[in-house]
Amino acid sequence: MDLPAPSRLIGRAVDATLSPLANAAHTAFAGGPVPPGFTGTRLGVCNLCEAICGLELTLTDGAVTGVRGNPEDPLSRGHICPKGVAIADLHSDPDRLRRPVRRVGSGADAQWVEIEWDEALDLVADGLAAAINDHGRDAVGLYLGNPNAHSLGSLTHGTAMAKTFRTRNKFSATSVDQLPHQFLAYLMYGHQFFLPIPDIDRTSFFLVFGANPMASNGSLMTVPDFPGRLRELKARGGRMVVFDPRRTETARVASEHHFVRPGTDAFVLLAMVNVLVTEGLTSPAAYVDGLAAVETAISDLTPERAEQMSGVPAEEIRRVAREFAAADGAAAYGRMGVSTQGFGTVCQWAVQLLNLLTGNLDRAGGVLVTTPAIDVVGTGLIGRGHHDVWRSRVRGLPEFGGELPVSVLREEIETPGEGQIRAMLTLAGNPVLSTPDGPALDRAMDGLDFMAAVDIFINETTRHADVILPPTSSLERDHYDLVFHVLAVRDTARFTPAVLPREKGAMHDWEIYREIALRTQSRLRTKPPLRKRLEQRLRLSTSPTVLIGLLLQRGKSGVTLRSLRKNPAGVDLGPLRAGQLPDRIPHRDRRIDAAPALVVEDLDRLRSLAAPDPDGLLLIGRRHQRDCNSWLHNSERLTRGKARHQLYIHPDDLSARGLDDGTTATVSSRVGSVQVEVLATEDMMRGVVSLPHGYGHAKDGVRLARASKVAGVSINDLTDPELLDVSGNAAFSGVPVTVSAAADHV
Ligand SMILES: Nc1nc2c(c(=O)[nH]1)N[C@H]1C(S)=C(S)[C@@H](COP(=O)(O)OP(=O)(O)OC[C@H]3O[C@@H](n4cnc5c(=O)[nH]c(N)nc54)[C@H](O)[C@@H]3O)O[C@H]1N2
Ligand SMILES: Nc1nc2c(c(=O)[nH]1)N[C@H]1C(S)=C(S)[C@@H](COP(=O)(O)OP(=O)(O)OC[C@H]3O[C@@H](n4cnc5c(=O)[nH]c(N)nc54)[C@H](O)[C@@H]3O)O[C@H]1N2
Ligand code: SF4
Ligand SMILES: [Mo]
């Protein structure tokens, strides 16, 4: 997942308690980085995915020479995956930027020149301030990518910096990821980040739609050691049932797997709800409103209708629904596959309804809200969210939580007029590979007056920047997970001081954000009032670690920064707690709205979905355990072995097109066309093809570090910015494509 929308972290915490004394007290414990030449072990943390595994690092002469899982970590219990081992490769990667660089020339002729921090930060502030002074605040476009959610400094200072720009043109990876979850949580529960988590350690029935935790290690469900936890679930006599158009790594270890046609899950999920209602299998809590409206809204969405659309037999839908209702603790869960699709919000609604109607919300073994040491929801540190306060200029799409759907970014850069984006600032992101019709965005970025990026690599997106500002690596900075403890399957808290001293002259991300904000502001023709500026300066100058100390003090867990420093493996706060509702429902009346109007209205669009084309092909994405979105392809350790960039296709679909396994085919959509090797596999549902996301590194023949040697094409050369969920989320799953013999082999 990506970053939650606007954070008031800094403001609240500092307003409450900031004093020179508090600052001094926390710096006194600073500790952390090993001395030069250190040999021994240190605890670290992996921030590469949502599983937040605790690590034990071996250092030899000050360099990391071994990485293993920390068995003492109360959440990750010693788990580690191949990416965790590669965290040291990332730190030592010669292609990782260590000093700011300025671009001279462009495209294939671009040269990158290292410059001093002061000069680099001034250039960035000049470029951004010029756009604002000449064209107004909306002339600056911001894009926040996924790693922001995994860095403490980005969460405390990146969001705060972004706010100082006060632009309507703010975008993030949220709208190519979990936006429907946040949108629905806002509508049903009253807060975008009120996200009940499957109680996987106690459930006896785990129902999974469109997620592959065996490869992804879980998402909106921080579940380190998913394989181990699944083994325990099965040993207890529990079951996992998976619905996915591909027989994935997760489907293979499931008790049962059902193929479902991409983009039609809403029919299946709502048919399950229909079965619960018509067969009297519901036992919702007293604090739920709108149940009659739900019944009316879905009365015609029967298992038979679902079978016709999805290919899942009606009797199977009935059986699974009945077994779900009968289980002693059942948890329904849906992730990327049912989020980044045309009916993402309806799917997430149906998932919530399954849990709610069967009494599994707030019940042990069902789905539970977490009780983290820093409760970003209850304390209002992350705002509730808001919807449609403004709209995108060109297509008129509503904002959510202060962000516009990233599918409109290209047109907002290219379309002239007031509010046009003239300058871009990207933070830890690669939208050219990660958003629909990436090539069009790639071209649009060439037309910007100015662009800056905060990133550790020159990638397909940051290559357009005039200046790139690289922060320290994750081994060089303190970490406390503000986001993923909130989404974890067990309540724990852990503070990890920086393991390595920062390299000479390196800057932490939070310091870079502070400088960008303050220097840009000082160049603006219309400045905020002096008081406001002083406040901002104070907030942005308070380190993330100090803020964490303050936030912990304000929490009710009893955990303090001091106690976390004494227990670096982490502090166990116990299994998720049942019986917390209705008190913790964020809606002011402490009631749940089971039938939000915006979602119910979307059912008409669902009903009008065209019947499946028996000869058509629908494209979906996939993740591999050794990939990390569009990056980490520089790591030798992670990229060696069998190629994994191919288009997966069912053998019958391949032969129907007169193609042979292993040849290169042309894959085309409304938007674009790519040539890629095909791999025949019965793991694909008939009529569905799959490409991994995050590939396709060579652009214009420019060598983007060593990653460009990794074969493959970008799936987002084919995905369509016109295909959207009602939340504004990109619909990646189920893009209609054709596959044919490649005219010229490349
Ligand atoms: N078709 C399709 N598209 C997808 C998806 C899909 O499944 N299918 N998945 C979507 C999802 S879920 C996501 S989250 C997005 C991801 O999309 P993005 O967030 O746009 O892209 P990433 O590939 O995560 O790029 C992260 C960048 O951050 C940089 N980086 C890494 N660590 C740091 C750091 O500590 N600081 C800074 N400043 N930079 C750092 C890396 O070098 C890299 O350039 O892609 C989305 N796009
Ligand atoms: N190794 C690795 N781990 C990662 C990442 C990574 O790139 N690599 N990225 C991280 C990020 S940013 C995220 S958001 C998470 C994502 O975590 P997950 O959601 O668990 O990961 P995905 O592999 O995207 O799983 C989506 C599944 O949905 C299926 N699917 C596609 N379309 C449909 C559909 O229409 N209906 C149904 N029912 N299923 C469908 C796909 O076949 C796939 O198995 O993973 C995180 N962890
Ligand atoms: S599962 Fe995720 S957090 Fe754990 S080691 Fe692998 S990449 Fe890192
Ligand atoms: Mo994501």
Side-chain angles (χ1 to χ4, degrees):
M1 68 147 273
D2 168 69
L3 197 65
S7 152
R8 277 183 246 132
L9 261 184
I10 307 254
R12 296 280 178 99
V14 178
D15 289 349
T17 20
L18 184 68
S19 73
L21 265 182
N23 253 322
H26 290 293
T27 12
F29 304 111
V34 298
F38 177 85
T39 295
T41 59
R42 271 284 195 279
L43 295 187
V45 58
C46 179
N47 69 339
L48 292 173
C49 88
E50 298 179 36
I52 62 170
C53 296
L55 305 178
E56 193 180 290
L57 306 168
T58 307
L59 290 108
T60 315
D61 276 340
V64 178
T65 49
V67 184
R68 60 181 208 112
N70 176 15
E72 306 299 320
D73 186 294
L75 181 64
S76 67
R77 316 184 307 191
H79 182 256
I80 186 167
C81 83
K83 283 195 292 184
V85 181
I87 207 150
D89 305 354
L90 177 63
H91 181 76
S92 56
D93 186 339
D95 288 331
R96 182 170 64 82
L97 299 176
R98 284 154 173 86
R99 305 181 70 78
V101 287
R102 191 161 79 89
R103 180 170 52 78
V104 182
S106 62
D109 302 321
Q111 301 283 324
W112 294 92
V113 185
E114 279 194 1
I115 55 174
E116 292 301 322
W117 275 106
D118 208 38
E119 183 189 351
L121 290 162
D122 277 342
L123 278 171
V124 172
D126 286 342
L128 298 176
I132 299 171
N133 286 335
D134 296 348
H135 306 286
R137 297 208 160 259
D138 297 333
V140 170
L142 301 175
Y143 175 83
L144 280 72
N146 168 275
N148 288 295
H150 298 268
S151 157
L152 174 61
S154 289
L155 286 166
T156 55
H157 288 67
T159 42
M161 178 208 71
K163 270 187 124 177
T164 65
F165 282 96
R166 298 206 334 264
T167 171
R168 292 180 167 202
N169 285 314
K170 186 174 167 224
F171 306 86
S172 83
T174 290
S175 53
V176 282
D177 190 345
Q178 82 290 358
L179 178 55
H181 297 252
Q182 286 178 228
F183 183 52
L184 203 257
Y186 162 76
L187 296 173
M188 265 180 105
Y189 303 117
H191 194 291
Q192 59 176 333
F193 223 57
F194 189 87
L195 303 167
I197 305 300
D199 187 14
I200 192 159
D201 291 339
R202 287 178 292 187
T203 195
S204 57
F205 196 107
F206 188 34
L207 178 61
V208 178
F209 272 77
N212 187 10
M214 287 296 283
S216 70
N217 297 298
S219 182
L220 297 187
M221 173 179 66
T222 285
V223 57
D225 193 18
F226 179 78
R229 291 182 140 102
L230 178 64
R231 274 194 302 276
E232 289 166 10
L233 185 158
K234 287 182 178 167
R236 295 194 294 273
R239 305 173 60 221
M240 176 172 77
V241 176
V242 172
F243 286 77
D244 198 301
R246 178 165 78 92
R247 189 181 299 114
T248 60
E249 296 80 354
T250 304
R252 281 177 189 284
V253 295
S255 317
E256 35 180 288
H257 164 237
H258 301 269
F259 283 125
V260 53
R261 187 170 288 114
T264 66
D265 302 81
F267 286 101
V268 179
L269 284 158
L270 289 175
M272 288 182 181
V273 176
N274 188 306
V275 172
L276 297 179
V277 170
T278 51
E279 299 189 3
L281 302 175
T282 58
S283 50
Y287 46 77
V288 183
D289 291 328
L291 293 169
V294 171
E295 290 185 23
T296 315
I298 60 150
S299 58
D300 61 332
L301 295 170
T302 59
E304 281 67 28
R305 179 84 190 271
E307 172 171 346
Q308 211 189 359
M309 298 303 291
S310 69
V312 184
E315 267 324 296
E316 293 291 284
I317 295 174
R318 286 204 169 84
R319 182 181 56 81
V320 173
R322 288 172 191 144
E323 289 175 5
F324 186 85
D328 182 16
Y333 166 75
R335 204 37 205 108
M336 277 298 281
V338 286
S339 195
T340 51
Q341 60 150 282
F343 294 95
T345 299
V346 173
C347 285
Q348 295 307 333
W349 176 57
V351 166
Q352 298 302 316
L353 286 177
L354 285 177
N355 292 323
L356 200 71
L357 294 179
T358 52
N360 278 299
L361 173 65
D362 199 31
R363 165 187 182 186
V367 294
L368 296 165
V369 285
T370 59
T371 313
I374 298 178
D375 176 13
V376 294
V377 174
T379 52
L381 294 172
I382 292 178
R384 287 170 179 273
H386 45 77
H387 182 239
D388 206 5
V389 177
W390 64 85
R391 293 193 172 194
S392 73
R393 189 176 54 105
V394 180
R395 228 190 293 180
L397 292 181
E399 62 78 38
F400 178 76
E403 294 183 11
L404 291 170
V406 71
S407 290
V408 311
L409 175 55
R410 180 206 53 81
E411 68 215 30
E412 293 299 331
I413 295 175
E414 285 186 338
T415 313
E418 206 180 314
Q420 181 186 5
I421 298 174
R422 312 290 185 127
M424 272 302 294
L425 174 60
T426 67
L427 314 178
N430 193 1
V432 168
L433 289 196
S434 58
T435 67
D437 197 5
L441 181 61
D442 194 40
R443 288 189 296 274
M445 282 181 163
D446 272 338
L448 289 166
D449 293 346
F450 179 77
M451 176 167 159
V454 180
D455 206 291
I456 52 178
F457 285 105
I458 300 171
N459 67 24
E460 297 71 16
T461 302
T462 62
R463 75 193 181 99
H464 293 286
D466 294 281
V467 183
I468 307 177
L469 307 169
T472 47
S473 90
S474 64
L475 291 172
E476 296 167 331
R477 53 196 195 218
D478 294 351
H479 189 65
Y480 179 93
D481 226 297
L482 274 171
V483 169
F484 298 109
H485 284 310
V486 182
L487 304 173
V489 298
R490 189 176 180 89
D491 288 321
T492 62
R494 180 188 56 204
F495 177 77
T496 313
V499 175
L500 300 175
R502 62 166 117 179
E503 282 176 36
K504 199 162 166 275
M507 281 182 84
H508 291 311
D509 47 10
W510 69 272
E511 296 167 320
I512 297 173
Y513 297 138
R514 177 194 64 204
E515 291 306 308
I516 295 176
L518 299 180
R519 290 185 196 216
T520 304
Q521 212 150 68
S522 74
R523 288 161 166 79
L524 293 185
R525 216 170 289 138
T526 325
K527 294 189 185 53
L530 182 66
R531 219 199 111 163
K532 177 112 192 143
R533 274 184 287 147
L534 286 174
E535 241 173 59
Q536 273 169 357
R537 178 172 291 274
L538 188 62
R539 286 171 186 187
L540 288 163
S541 302
T542 307
S543 82
T545 305
V546 169
L547 287 168
I548 290 300
L550 299 173
L551 289 167
L552 284 167
Q553 269 171 24
R554 293 181 58 211
K556 297 190 193 105
S557 67
V559 171
T560 60
L561 190 59
R562 186 195 288 262
S563 66
L564 292 183
R565 285 193 188 272
K566 279 197 191 137
N567 299 282
V571 170
D572 191 10
L573 302 173
L576 301 185
R577 297 176 210 175
Q580 301 206 68
L581 306 190
D583 289 0
R584 286 187 59 196
I585 299 172
H587 273 312
R588 291 191 172 84
D589 60 3
R590 304 281 169 257
R591 298 188 66 80
I592 293 171
D593 181 4
L598 283 170
V599 186
V600 173
E601 281 161 21
D602 204 30
L603 295 182
D604 286 338
R605 193 171 60 97
L606 181 71
R607 288 189 182 92
S608 64
L609 195 68
D613 169 5
D615 301 320
L617 289 176
L618 299 175
L619 176 68
I620 62 168
R622 68 173 185 269
R623 287 179 155 74
H624 186 277
Q625 197 202 30
R626 287 165 184 264
D627 287 328
C628 189
N629 295 325
S630 77
W631 60 297
L632 282 194
H633 281 154
N634 257 16
S635 164
E636 188 66 42
R637 194 191 305 264
L638 295 179
T639 49
R640 69 181 165 223
K642 270 202 301 196
R644 47 184 196 247
H645 63 275
Q646 301 95 334
L647 180 89
Y648 289 0
I649 181 167
H650 190 280
D652 296 347
D653 287 328
L654 196 61
S655 56
R657 284 158 185 81
L659 292 169
D660 291 326
D661 193 12
T663 57
T664 299
T666 299
V667 188
S668 305
S669 70
R670 182 190 80 82
V671 165
S673 188
V674 296
Q675 298 205 322
V676 65
E677 197 182 317
V678 292
L679 188 145
T681 166
E682 292 187 354
D683 288 342
M684 292 308 300
M685 185 181 185
R686 283 282 322 253
V688 185
V689 294
S690 151
L691 276 175
H693 113 93
Y695 283 65
H697 293 293
K699 295 271 175 197
D700 291 348
V702 180
R703 285 179 61 84
L704 294 163
R706 284 172 294 147
S708 59
K709 280 190 275 181
V710 173
V713 295
S714 173
I715 186 173
N716 289 321
D717 288 6
L718 298 169
T719 56
D720 190 338
E722 299 287 332
L723 300 178
L724 294 169
D725 172 50
V726 63
S727 63
N729 210 34
F732 290 134
S733 289
V735 175
V737 292
T738 58
V739 175
S740 55
D744 327 278
H745 284 222
V746 278

